[in-house]
Amino acid sequence: MNFYTRKWIKPEDLNPNGSLFGGTLLRWIDEEAVIYAIVQLGNPHVVTKYISEINFVSSAKQGDIIEMGIEAVNFGRTSLTLRCEVRNKITRKTILSIEKLVFVNLDTDGNPTPHNKTEITYAYMGIEKTNK
Ligand SMILES: CC(C)(COP(=O)(O)OP(=O)(O)OC[C@H]1O[C@@H](n2cnc3c(N)ncnc32)[C@H](O)[C@@H]1OP(=O)(O)O)[C@@H](O)C(=O)NCCC(=O)NCCS
């Protein structure tokens, strides 16, 4: 799993308990995951279809640095399923895990359309490399 994005927990990210607000974390994850899906599928018309159980394993507090990890677990016909883990950057303690986030590849009319991808692609400066 690659951990791409880091966040520094600020006062505006907290709930009344003084720890990281779950809704804020989910917004960050949804954005992180859909960007991953858009890059993998090469299509900006991708939407979140399904998110499985969300396990808030431990909390984060103001000043913590967290990092979000995404991994592709299945390429379907029109869908891409990802797994997500968020952890404390310093202690590596897991903050949250989600086993399945399903994204659907759409055509310009908003209908599911095959993405014809079967494996992770690493695109650098317009040159596509696969992990074969
Ligand atoms: C995305 C959307 C177009 C899909 O429509 P649909 O009628 O479910 O489409 P399909 O039945 O053809 O399924 C599309 C893919 O999603 C998968 N899928 C559908 N329902 C699923 C579910 N509950 N769990 C996991 N995967 C699911 C299907 O298996 C299929 O994948 P595949 O082609 O790789 O096999 C439609 O549900 C939609 O517009 N949803 C709202 C999306 C949105 O606005 N997201 C933002 C969240 S606020």
Side-chain angles (χ1 to χ4, degrees):
M1 176 176 285
N2 289 317
F3 287 80
Y4 296 102
T5 299
R6 296 154 187 188
K7 292 275 188 187
W8 191 29
I9 309 304
K10 303 192 182 74
E12 60 266 31
D13 306 322
L14 304 180
N15 59 29
N17 179 50
S19 56
L20 174 61
F21 179 50
T24 299
L25 182 55
L26 292 178
R27 182 166 57 84
W28 292 342
I29 290 165
D30 195 29
E31 182 171 338
E32 181 78 8
V34 78
I35 291 170
Y36 184 99
I38 285 168
V39 170
Q40 288 301 320
L41 302 181
N43 175 16
H45 304 289
V46 174
V47 287
T48 313
K49 172 64 190 174
Y50 174 83
I51 299 179
S52 71
E53 284 175 10
I54 300 159
N55 187 357
F56 290 97
V57 180
S58 67
S59 61
K61 61 182 189 312
Q62 186 177 332
D64 283 353
I65 297 167
I66 65 168
E67 56 186 3
M68 295 186 277
I70 301 284
E71 176 176 65
V73 292
N74 185 53
F75 287 81
R77 196 177 76 91
T78 67
S79 68
L80 170 62
T81 303
L82 307 178
R83 194 171 80 79
C84 171
E85 188 179 325
V86 178
R87 67 186 184 188
N88 183 297
K89 168 90 185 121
I90 308 300
T91 66
R92 300 285 168 98
K93 193 172 178 187
T94 300
I95 294 167
L96 167 148
S97 66
I98 305 175
E99 286 308 306
K100 280 174 76 175
L101 297 105
V102 179
F103 292 88
V104 176
N105 188 63
L106 303 180
D107 62 21
T108 50
D109 294 324
N111 299 312
T113 188
H115 49 61
N116 302 314
K117 307 280 185 193
T118 55
E119 64 178 11
I120 298 170
T121 303
Y122 300 94
Y124 298 109
M125 294 181 291
I127 302 163
E128 286 205 346
K129 289 167 72 179
T130 67
N131 61 355
K132 268 185 186 159

